[in-house]
Amino acid sequence: MSETQKRSRREFLKVSSAAVTGASLAGVGVARNAHAAGSDVVKVALIGSGGRGTGAVAQLMNADDNVQLVAVADAFENRAMGAIANLKKQYGDRASVPQDRVFLGLQGYQDAIESGCDLIVIATPPGFRPVHYAAAVAAGKHIFMEKPCCVDAPGYRMLMEANKRADEKGLLVGVGLQRRHEPQYMETIQRIHDGALGEVQFLRVYWNGGGIWNRSREEGMTEMQYQVHNWYHFCWLSGDNICEQHIHNMDVGNWVMNDEHPVEANGMGGCTARYLGDLKGTGQIFDHHFVEFTYADGTKMFSQCRHMKDCFNSVSEAAHGTEGTSDCSGRIEGKNGWRYDGKRVGGHQQEQTDLIAALRAGKRYNEGWYGANSSMTAVLGRMANYSGKVVKWDEAVAKGAQIVPDPDQWTWDAKAPVEKDENGDYPIPMPGVYSPFAG
Amino acid sequence: MTDVLRNASRIRSARIWLTGLLIGVLAASAAIGAEGDATGQTFDPNDWEAVKWLPLARRSPAGENPDAEAADEAGMKAYAEAIPGTDLRIEMIPIPSGKFVMGSPESEAGRGEGEGPQHEVEVDAFWMGKTEITWEQYDAWSLKLDVTQRKMKRDAAGEDRTNWDKLVDAIARPTNAYTDMTFGMGHDGYPAICMTQFAAKVYCKWLTANTGRYYRLPTEAEWEYACRAGTTTAYSFGDSADDLDEYAWYFDNSEDGYAKVGQKKPNPWGLHDMHGNVCEWVLDQYDPEFYKTHGGKTVRNPLNDPKTLFPRCVRGGSWLDDAEDLRSAARRGSDPDWKMQDPQIPQSIWYLTDAEFLGFRVVRPLRMPTADEAKLYEPDPQVIQDYREAQGGKM
């Protein structure tokens, strides 16, 4: 073993390189699934070719040598061409996409879906997700979609409907909640389900970090172009930080609760530091949230998310039970104390490895159900915080406002869903005034 | 000509050159000081070796620090480097020039690949950080806390940005961390981790701009020289790992994470945590054959200039490592797996998502490097340009 391969014990336990997981698939038989049948090659179309979408395609390629990229759609040409160039560097001809299968603008997703692909990676800003997902399902394609899967209640309803169609058609649906594929989480949560904590009484979930990028307006951009370019900072596109990143932790909470979702939420939040100075007038999302969720059996989930520099940071989950506590990812303290000592696996690779393995084996695979519920959990929390009211799940799902325009409005010249006020600021929701409901 | 005189002349000529070209263009967006004329061009300090703009950096309020000044090696003292705009200090320890035997004997227990043949190395004098760089010291740069603090003070006093402010503000900073990079192991007083070698190099450049004193990562030879601190044994306290617990955090005494810096006994030269806690970046490419190229001759200030991104050298072992990996001579190369959980393409130039065991400490050479030498020490500006391009122009 060379020095560079030499690893200390614990690191060896931790890492599992893409190459190794890829190699472990060698010998898996040819596709038995209807859509990959007759061909070893799984043709992939990428919709939304930013860093994450490009990375997801790379991980699919790592998972299986016979994955090929056949089409790319992105709002912006530089992102589409950049993704292809970056993938070609690593994967050569497998990422060779001809110019006539590169689709630009906000309507290019349809062309990508119809490009003769087997599997579609959807990694556009989340506001577009339900429509992209439903269109891919309607076309009978397998899907990997990033989280969150929706940013509003109509989006959630669209997801649930598409999930049904996907199941009817036997389509595979992967969702980018990668903790679900990490054995350190899987084993721990299995133990919690088996009673290692006694009765779970409450959960704590966190995504407190220093913040996220903020992209400047470029010369000549229409308002729609700017908002899509700087999408994280517009609620109709990202769903706010509580949806975009914090969903990971709330999803772990729901998972611990046997894939139940909360029935009620109240909380508080605001925007103190995000759009000051040079960043004035560059967005409208909160920079901190706290939510108290209640599940049907009365169990509570306390959630914090924050984007603020030099504050207490934590990206983690905790479950507290009558007989112990757990970090949900390898540690249980209390009566049934335990440490995960197996291999720690990176979920971003594993989720693609698992999806392709299921496809090759012709297995049922639909993560869209918990993906939709956890996305709506985050939306529920945001509705509670933006409004300052107690919001119930059923009412939120039935009557929650639509914040994403209909797809016929997805053009660069369309009126943007939010606009700056006379002070040059985008509207930031005011608790006590804001209504989260339609009409 | 002595090194000091050479330095003085170099600084003088650099100053003349700066006056003619750089100082003026630095102030592109504001009225210019007395030194030169605004040309309307922009000047990016990231594109130039720090030695070329050091005279401007010397205008830092931190510049006046008698303890930090030394006309020659005999004048070197321990000093605390205050980071302007913050309450933070980095304690620096003088390391005398000298000769030592680098590498380990074949008889050394736990000896790894690439530690031989042993060979004699001469090293010039430098100062070295007493401890690894902590999160607070790192955040001052990575979160632009210094920029914010200085601005608040200026605003309160009704002052404009000086050219020095502009210089420091212009040093590249990393993109925001996607997640909590402490991974719940602790923040205040704990070592910063998970940075690329590139990030660590930019940090040094920032520290240089901030203080007017030239900081960089140590070479592998400097690191081992300082770690050994005159000793020839496997560890700086002897050959046996029995006493390791008094000096180092490693696998057997670490509870699922790193520890606050400076808690264990220092080595004979007063440096803490050279063995263990987090392993530390050095400048060199990792090449197990490198020592063979010296052919048994004495080499002076060796540096294996990196040609590839992986593997690059890290030293000292960490809380995740076993005793033998903490030895003074133990070498390790960086690995692409250290970025495994970075899910993006292109992957970040700033973060090694999986290197929860890796940090760095800074050194300051007594002799100012030439511009050519500085190229070997400082971040390659092309890296940022390539990254920007690979992201379609966005950062």
Side-chain angles (χ1 to χ4, degrees):
Chain A
M1 187 182 266
S2 81
E3 180 66 25
T4 49
Q5 288 167 318
K6 185 180 166 190
R7 298 189 185 111
S8 59
R9 274 183 285 160
R10 212 179 303 181
E11 197 201 352
F12 181 76
L13 293 178
K14 186 180 168 192
V15 300
S16 151
S17 75
V20 172
T21 45
S24 68
L25 275 178
V28 171
V30 295
R32 275 183 274 147
N33 187 285
H35 296 281
S39 163
D40 270 335
V41 177
V42 177
K43 293 182 201 158
V44 173
L46 171 61
I47 303 176
S49 60
R52 181 73 274 275
T54 311
V57 171
Q59 283 131 14
L60 278 167
M61 289 188 171
N62 294 340
D64 188 309
D65 287 343
N66 277 326
V67 167
Q68 261 183 24
L69 184 64
V70 299
V72 172
D74 196 274
F76 301 106
E77 183 171 14
N78 59 353
R79 294 306 281 224
M81 299 319 290
I84 294 167
N86 289 331
L87 286 167
K88 266 173 134 173
K89 267 183 228 160
Q90 246 175 299
Y91 301 97
D93 283 348
R94 295 170 66 194
S96 201
V97 179
Q99 193 64 45
D100 64 355
R101 283 208 298 269
V102 177
F103 307 105
L104 305 177
L106 298 182
Q107 298 292 338
Y109 69 97
Q110 282 291 5
D111 299 308
I113 289 169
E114 287 153 20
S115 64
C117 58
D118 306 304
L119 190 155
I120 297 180
V121 172
I122 306 173
T124 46
F128 300 123
R129 192 96 70 240
V131 168
H132 289 170
Y133 174 51
V137 169
K141 307 299 183 185
H142 304 299
I143 290 139
F144 174 80
M145 62 174 153
E146 262 307 331
K147 41 46 64 174
C149 307
C150 66
V151 301
D152 61 11
Y156 172 72
R157 298 195 299 261
M158 198 181 295
L159 291 174
M160 296 299 273
E161 201 49 43
N163 283 339
K164 268 186 239 164
R165 301 279 165 272
D167 278 349
E168 285 162 14
K169 295 182 175 193
L171 301 174
L172 279 71
V173 180
V175 172
L177 292 163
Q178 75 279 358
R179 286 164 175 73
R180 298 265 187 169
H181 295 263
E182 296 179 355
Q184 56 272 31
Y185 275 96
M186 295 159 74
E187 275 199 38
T188 310
I189 290 174
Q190 186 59 54
R191 280 169 185 265
I192 296 172
H193 288 167
D194 292 345
L197 303 182
E199 196 124 330
V200 173
Q201 294 178 305
F202 67 96
L203 301 146
R204 294 179 296 118
V205 295
Y206 300 84
W207 194 297
N208 291 349
I212 195 86
W213 47 261
N214 188 321
R215 294 173 185 149
S216 341
R217 192 183 294 263
E218 288 172 12
E219 214 180 305
M221 279 184 162
T222 66
E223 184 59 29
M224 275 293 271
Q225 276 171 321
Y226 169 65
Q227 292 190 13
V228 173
H229 173 68
N230 200 29
W231 61 268
Y232 205 103
H233 297 275
F234 295 92
C235 192
W236 69 276
L237 287 159
S238 70
D240 196 315
N241 170 36
I242 191 173
C243 291
E244 218 287 330
Q245 284 171 302
H246 193 28
I247 181 180
H248 282 297
N249 320 104
M250 291 183 269
D251 178 60
V252 170
N254 285 351
W255 184 10
V256 169
M257 296 303 292
N258 291 298
D259 282 318
E260 294 292 322
H261 58 71
V263 295
E264 188 181 292
N266 81 87
M268 58 184 74
C271 185
T272 326
R274 204 191 274 282
Y275 302 117
L276 302 182
D278 293 349
L279 297 178
K280 177 181 160 61
T282 59
Q284 55 148 188
I285 62 172
F286 280 10
D287 57 13
H288 61 284
H289 292 265
F290 175 88
V291 190
E292 174 189 333
F293 290 100
T294 309
Y295 289 87
D297 67 357
T299 303
K300 299 284 188 182
M301 174 165 70
F302 304 112
S303 117
Q304 292 184 24
C305 64
R306 175 167 57 198
H307 275 179
M308 232 177 268
K309 282 179 182 176
D310 208 19
C311 297
F312 161 63
N313 287 345
S314 180
V315 176
S316 65
E317 303 88 18
H320 296 253
T322 49
E323 291 176 5
T325 62
S326 173
D327 69 352
C328 304
S329 56
R331 296 187 206 184
I332 290 174
E333 316 290 347
K335 192 176 152 194
N336 302 302
W338 171 79
R339 284 286 186 282
Y340 175 77
D341 62 359
K343 194 180 260 190
R344 285 189 178 258
V345 168
H348 283 108
Q349 180 57 55
Q350 196 59 42
E351 65 189 355
Q352 306 300 352
T353 301
D354 291 346
L355 176 62
I356 286 288
L359 182 69
R360 292 295 192 200
K363 282 187 185 153
R364 306 287 285 193
Y365 193 95
N366 189 349
E367 300 177 343
W369 295 105
Y370 68 68
N373 279 337
S374 291
S375 300
M376 187 63 206
T377 300
V379 170
L380 178 72
R382 189 195 68 217
M383 291 168 76
N385 285 1
Y386 278 11
S387 67
K389 303 281 200 313
V390 176
V391 181
K392 294 190 182 302
W393 175 278
D394 289 343
E395 195 180 7
V397 167
K399 297 192 219 156
Q402 178 180 346
I403 64 170
V404 184
D406 289 330
D408 60 0
Q409 294 301 303
W410 296 357
T411 66
W412 291 140
D413 296 327
K415 186 172 146 65
V418 288
E419 290 178 312
K420 283 190 184 182
D421 62 19
E422 63 276 14
N423 299 320
D425 296 315
Y426 289 101
I428 297 174
M430 179 80 77
V433 175
Y434 174 94
S435 168
F437 298 112
Chain B
M1 201 160 51
T2 68
D3 282 351
V4 176
L5 285 176
R6 242 196 314 270
N7 279 348
S9 115
R10 223 170 259 131
I11 289 170
R12 251 194 320 277
S13 57
R15 185 173 290 140
I16 292 161
W17 181 66
L18 274 164
T19 305
L21 175 69
L22 290 183
I23 291 193
V25 297
L26 184 67
S29 61
I32 187 67
E35 292 90 347
D37 303 310
T39 64
Q41 291 172 285
T42 53
F43 158 56
D44 184 348
N46 299 291
D47 290 343
W48 301 90
E49 292 79 43
V51 287
K52 292 190 174 159
W53 43 250
L54 205 67
L56 178 55
R58 293 288 287 183
R59 293 191 218 164
S60 161
E64 303 290 324
N65 184 346
D67 287 347
E69 303 305 327
D72 53 29
E73 197 177 324
M76 291 171 73
K77 296 184 281 289
Y79 68 96
E81 186 65 273
I83 305 176
T86 73
D87 300 329
L88 302 166
R89 286 166 186 278
I90 300 175
E91 290 194 68
M92 300 298 294
I93 303 282
I95 307 293
S97 64
K99 233 184 240 188
F100 80 112
V101 176
M102 190 166 181
S104 61
E106 286 176 24
S107 57
E108 188 164 298
R111 187 186 201 233
E113 195 186 32
E115 293 179 27
Q118 286 184 291
H119 55 290
E120 201 171 54
V121 173
E122 280 184 75
V123 179
D124 292 347
F126 57 95
W127 290 265
M128 187 177 230
K130 187 178 177 179
T131 67
E132 291 140 354
I133 292 292
T134 63
W135 275 118
E136 297 99 307
Q137 292 162 349
Y138 195 75
D139 287 352
W141 164 67
S142 67
L143 301 179
K144 298 188 187 178
L145 300 181
D146 64 323
V147 177
T148 313
Q149 289 294 324
R150 281 186 286 104
K151 182 172 189 307
M152 280 169 67
K153 281 183 191 154
R154 281 197 314 270
D155 289 352
E159 292 167 0
D160 291 330
R161 280 208 303 174
T162 64
N163 285 338
W164 170 76
D165 283 311
K166 289 174 191 169
L167 172 75
V168 181
D169 290 357
I171 300 290
R173 316 280 173 140
T175 52
N176 291 313
Y178 188 76
T179 186
D180 164 31
M181 298 310 288
T182 73
F183 301 99
M185 295 191 289
H187 185 274
D188 293 2
Y190 292 91
I193 52 165
C194 290
M195 72 290 292
T196 58
Q197 189 203 40
F198 179 79
K201 284 178 170 178
V202 179
Y203 181 89
C204 294
K205 197 163 183 171
W206 166 81
L207 193 58
T208 300
N210 234 312
T211 62
R213 282 176 276 277
Y214 190 84
Y215 289 94
R216 60 169 170 80
L217 292 178
T219 65
E220 187 175 16
E222 287 167 338
W223 192 95
E224 184 170 329
Y225 175 63
C227 177
R228 290 186 173 282
T231 67
T232 56
T233 44
Y235 304 96
S236 60
F237 52 84
D239 275 320
S240 163
D242 291 350
D243 297 330
L244 193 55
D245 181 48
E246 291 176 43
Y247 293 89
W249 296 104
Y250 67 120
F251 186 81
D252 291 352
N253 66 359
S254 294
E255 181 61 35
D256 295 339
Y258 51 36
K260 286 192 180 183
V261 302
Q263 297 188 93
K264 294 288 187 184
K265 283 187 190 168
N267 77 1
W269 287 350
L271 302 167
H272 290 268
D273 303 311
M274 293 296 281
H275 301 302
N277 204 20
V278 292
C279 54
E280 301 175 11
W281 274 122
V282 295
L283 287 165
D284 301 56
Q285 184 94 63
Y286 174 73
D287 175 3
E289 305 298 312
F290 185 56
Y291 294 180
K292 291 181 190 156
T293 63
H294 302 323
K297 294 197 198 84
T298 300
V299 281
R300 191 181 166 96
N301 300 319
L303 166 61
N304 189 13
D305 182 32
K307 301 287 188 284
T308 60
L309 188 54
F310 296 100
R312 295 193 185 184
C313 250
V314 305
R315 286 302 210 109
S318 78
W319 61 275
L320 269 163
D321 290 310
D322 295 318
E324 65 262 25
D325 299 320
L326 273 65
R327 289 173 303 106
S328 301
R331 311 177 69 202
R332 188 172 181 195
S334 64
D335 191 295
D337 275 355
W338 298 3
K339 290 184 83 64
M340 196 179 75
Q341 289 182 79
D342 181 344
Q344 308 257 342
I345 300 280
Q347 289 192 314
S348 174
I349 58 174
W350 302 107
Y351 299 98
L352 288 174
T353 47
D354 298 76
E356 294 170 25
F357 47 82
L358 174 60
F360 69 104
R361 75 179 73 211
V362 299
V363 299
R364 174 185 164 214
L366 175 64
R367 180 180 70 80
M368 277 292 294
T370 64
D372 282 346
E373 286 169 336
K375 277 196 173 69
L376 303 175
Y377 305 147
E378 296 188 20
D380 179 358
Q382 193 65 39
V383 171
I384 292 178
Q385 285 162 27
D386 290 350
Y387 186 57
R388 192 173 284 141
E389 194 178 316
Q391 298 210 96
K394 295 168 192 168
M395 283 295 276

